[in-house]
Amino acid sequence: MGFFKQKADAPAQEPKRDPSPSSGGSGSPSQQERVTLLACALGAIAAIGGFIFGYVSGQISGFFLMKDYARRFGELQSDGSYDFSAARQGTIVGLLCVGALIGSLIAGKMADTVGRRLSISMFAFFACVGTIIEISSSTHWVQFAVGRLVTGLSIGALSVVVPMYQSESTPAVIRGVIVSSYQLLITMGIWTAEMVNWGTETKSNSGAWRIPNGLTFAWALVLGAGILFLPESPRFAYSRGRVDEARQTIARLHGLSTDSDIVNNQIADIQAKIDEESENTAAFSWTEIFTAPRMFYRTVLGIVLQAGQQLTGANFFFYFGTTVFAATGISNSYVTQIILGSVNVFATIIGLFIIDRFGRRVILMTGAAWMMMCFLVYAFVGHFALDHENPMLTPKAGSALVTFSCLAIAAFAVSWGPLVWTVNAELYPIRYRSFCMGIATASNWFWNFLISFFTRFITDKIDYFYGLIFAGCCAALVVIVFFFLIESKDRTLEEIDTMYVQHVNPITSSRWDAAQFRDEMRQPQPSDVHEHAHEDEK
Ligand SMILES: OC[C@H]1O[C@](O)(CO)[C@@H](O)[C@@H]1O
């Protein structure tokens, strides 16, 4: 059953959809929708959740090189210095991901219970608690690691609720940019952490690492308080019966009056979807995420795409970049990290410009193919051309490694970095959105954890050939996107759902005509004619 069908029993105050295809919610909403300051502010403030994510993931690699941090939490070496074993380092890095995995699984329930906005505020508060646990550990590395677990819980939950809130609240014409700004802020968080680390590293006073560490508290406070000044997601508000609030929010976000066609049509579409979903079963059962129309396909696709984002290998550079580049003989590895971080930020900004211009599919496939090439070069140069004993003897190989790492990061930053969050927030209908986004995001954190924990063990053993694994994954991702992902650029969330339910072919999906589909749905069906005939008889 199509979502454009107007329900006979729709609430009296609900509008009839404007039949004109140019009235919004059509295949080309960009012709009517406006970009408002409120929509941008909403996107930007919520995206601070991404900044915290980037900041806490980016700071840790620099901590390991700080003398005071190593003296407190590292292991005493035979020469009297302190260093970290692969296991301890992996635990400290990886527990953040474990916490985040748990956070992403509980986030959906919370977002559906107290709403998107309050959940964001609450989960930001968890980051404050985690930071206090970390910063107050003086010599107990386990306490520090537990603090990372709690902070992780916060950023994992935020990684589900923030893109969901942004995607449900913003007009289709800028949805790609707004949800991708979440990733931009992640990259800015990583970059800021690297800069603050760099500035703090030379400070000789004990506990200098507490400065970058403690700043997390401030970012979380800004998010937790700031989000409370924004409106609730209109789709969530509507699903809780707050129809007027939803209507007003959509109107404000689009810069239109509450009775404009676009607002009426969006409300009608949301209503139709909610009606359609509640027809399926009375109470939500988790098995529906596999059994409801086209949900098995989408749930698996979401999980695979989120895992794919990690399997592109970008985090390999972010978590262990400092160590890897030090091993290539490049003197100031902090500087190398900052270069990588800067490439990441600038390329993500470029990504935001192209995201709503080219389709999601093209960008994802090109990005994965480009990263595959970079990893191939990285693996072969690192394996054959670099002198592992004395890297200073092979400076050209060292420079090539840094260059191709930068190129890989750039490709990631314009494609898989931002777009996976966007696509994940677009894939599912509202009934399953929070649950499925949670599961898919958990798969991102699961792979993030595996990479952060095991990379050091693996690189110690199989050297730069490790890059071949990531190259293979990137090749697989090109194929997966080509055959399975439907193009969602410029579609409303309700249209995207309809495309999946209608089995639109992913390869030709960018040409799907929503207006024509709507017209077809309005043609009297044989069954309708039958029903009317009976009515006439009566
Ligand atoms: O920009 C790099 C960062 O982006 C992410 O993949 C999230 O989208 C992180 O896991 C990574 O650290």
Side-chain angles (χ1 to χ4, degrees):
M1 187 182 300
F3 87 93
F4 298 110
K5 183 178 168 211
Q6 189 69 47
K7 291 276 164 189
D9 57 353
Q13 77 272 31
E14 286 320 300
K16 291 281 179 267
R17 166 173 271 285
D18 182 333
S20 133
S22 62
S23 61
S26 71
S28 56
S30 50
Q31 286 160 15
Q32 305 90 31
E33 294 179 341
R34 281 187 232 151
V35 177
T36 60
L37 191 65
L38 179 64
C40 296
L42 181 147
I45 292 177
I48 297 173
F51 187 87
I52 303 170
F53 171 168
Y55 189 81
V56 296
S57 342
Q59 66 182 186
I60 199 67
S61 109
F63 282 10
F64 293 124
L65 300 182
M66 290 182 188
K67 284 200 183 69
D68 182 67
Y69 187 84
R71 190 176 54 76
R72 287 166 190 274
F73 304 123
E75 289 138 304
L76 185 61
Q77 309 294 302
S78 50
D79 63 357
S81 67
Y82 287 86
D83 203 354
F84 291 85
S85 64
R88 187 173 295 190
Q89 186 171 343
T91 307
I92 293 174
V93 174
L95 269 187
L96 185 89
C97 303
V98 175
L101 197 154
I102 300 168
S104 58
L105 289 173
I106 60 174
K109 183 83 191 140
M110 191 59 73
D112 276 351
T113 310
V114 301
R116 299 2 182 179
R117 223 169 40 119
L118 270 184
S119 311
I120 293 178
S121 184
M122 220 187 66
F123 287 124
F125 175 72
F126 272 75
C128 296
V129 175
T131 307
I132 293 173
I133 299 175
E134 288 166 31
I135 213 163
S136 59
S137 35
S138 49
T139 50
H140 299 294
W141 75 273
V142 176
Q143 182 182 336
F144 188 89
V146 169
R148 297 255 307 161
L149 185 85
V150 177
T151 309
L153 209 128
S154 157
I155 59 166
L158 290 173
S159 69
V160 175
V161 192
V162 167
M164 186 193 308
Y165 174 64
Q166 291 174 315
S167 146
E168 286 183 349
S169 305
T170 46
V173 65
I174 48 163
R175 193 180 56 240
V177 174
I178 296 281
V179 183
S180 298
S181 72
Y182 172 68
Q183 175 71 13
L184 176 65
L185 275 264
I186 293 179
T187 66
M188 287 178 160
I190 297 175
W191 187 85
T192 309
E194 283 161 356
M195 294 299 283
V196 179
N197 274 353
W198 191 32
T200 323
E201 182 236 358
T202 46
K203 301 231 171 319
S204 52
N205 56 317
S206 92
W209 55 273
R210 288 195 168 112
I211 300 170
N213 194 203
L215 277 172
T216 315
F217 194 92
W219 317 134
L221 216 56
V222 175
L223 173 65
I227 199 79
L228 298 176
F229 291 94
L230 296 168
E232 178 55 280
S233 143
R235 285 174 169 87
F236 174 80
Y238 197 100
S239 71
R240 292 297 176 272
R242 286 148 41 194
V243 179
D244 290 341
E245 179 189 333
R247 175 181 288 283
Q248 266 167 22
T249 305
I250 293 177
R252 284 173 67 204
L253 287 164
H254 286 75
L256 298 167
S257 68
T258 48
D259 58 357
S260 68
D261 289 344
I262 289 184
V263 178
N264 280 341
N265 286 344
Q266 290 211 2
I267 290 281
D269 282 354
I270 297 171
Q271 172 68 44
K273 277 288 170 201
I274 289 173
D275 282 352
E276 195 179 281
E277 284 160 14
S278 58
E279 261 172 20
N280 292 343
T281 42
F284 175 83
S285 143
W286 71 267
T287 51
E288 283 176 45
I289 65 163
F290 296 113
T291 57
R294 238 32 213 324
M295 281 310 294
F296 179 79
Y297 182 101
R298 287 185 271 181
T299 304
V300 173
L301 184 60
I303 291 173
V304 170
L305 292 177
Q306 283 279 6
Q309 196 218 37
Q310 291 302 313
L311 291 169
T312 57
N315 265 330
F316 166 67
F317 298 113
F318 290 114
Y319 289 151
F320 298 101
T322 311
T323 316
V324 168
F325 290 115
T328 66
I330 291 166
S331 51
N332 193 335
S333 46
Y334 271 105
V335 174
T336 316
Q337 267 303 78
I338 288 170
I339 294 171
L340 276 182
S342 306
V343 171
N344 195 23
V345 174
F346 285 115
T348 308
I349 294 174
I350 295 172
L352 294 202
F353 280 107
I354 62 170
I355 217 155
D356 281 320
R357 194 155 302 177
F358 301 95
R360 321 289 198 235
R361 285 167 50 84
V362 168
I363 300 175
L364 288 173
M365 287 189 289
T366 314
W370 181 353
M371 279 185 276
M372 181 193 74
M373 301 298 290
C374 293
F375 268 113
L376 286 178
V377 176
Y378 182 87
F380 283 105
V381 169
H383 185 78
F384 292 115
L386 187 77
D387 185 327
H388 293 195
E389 296 304 314
N390 191 354
M392 301 307 254
L393 296 177
T394 48
K396 282 195 180 141
S399 312
L401 288 179
V402 175
T403 307
F404 278 90
S405 308
C406 287
L407 288 173
I409 294 294
F412 174 82
V414 293
S415 58
W416 285 79
L419 264 182
V420 161
W421 300 112
T422 311
V423 167
N424 192 36
E426 296 173 336
L427 263 181
Y428 324 98
I430 188 160
R431 182 173 172 85
Y432 312 112
R433 186 169 298 137
S434 50
F435 199 73
C436 290
M437 281 185 73
I439 293 181
T441 307
S443 89
N444 185 305
W445 286 110
F446 175 74
W447 286 101
N448 194 336
F449 167 72
L450 288 189
I451 290 169
S452 63
F453 189 81
F454 289 111
T455 292
R456 248 206 65 185
F457 292 98
I458 299 172
T459 43
D460 284 356
K461 294 262 178 317
I462 64 167
D463 123 322
Y464 290 82
F465 257 2
Y466 183 40
L468 293 181
I469 299 177
F470 292 129
C473 292
C474 290
L477 291 174
V478 176
V479 177
I480 290 169
V481 170
F482 183 75
F483 285 110
F484 298 106
L485 183 70
I486 280 183
E487 182 54 64
S488 50
K489 172 176 141 14
D490 277 353
R491 310 288 190 188
T492 65
L493 295 181
E494 288 71 28
E495 285 170 344
I496 298 166
D497 180 44
T498 302
M499 289 169 86
Y500 277 102
V501 173
Q502 294 295 321
H503 290 253
V504 169
N505 180 353
I507 302 168
T508 54
S509 54
S510 60
R511 298 199 292 274
W512 185 73
D513 186 349
Q516 190 190 335
F517 176 76
R518 189 176 289 131
D519 288 346
E520 281 167 16
M521 292 306 293
R522 284 209 188 84
Q523 300 296 324
Q525 305 294 309
S527 58
D528 293 343
V529 173
H530 214 69
E531 273 168 28
H532 286 125
H534 280 304
E535 276 166 20
D536 290 347
E537 278 166 23
K538 281 182 217 161

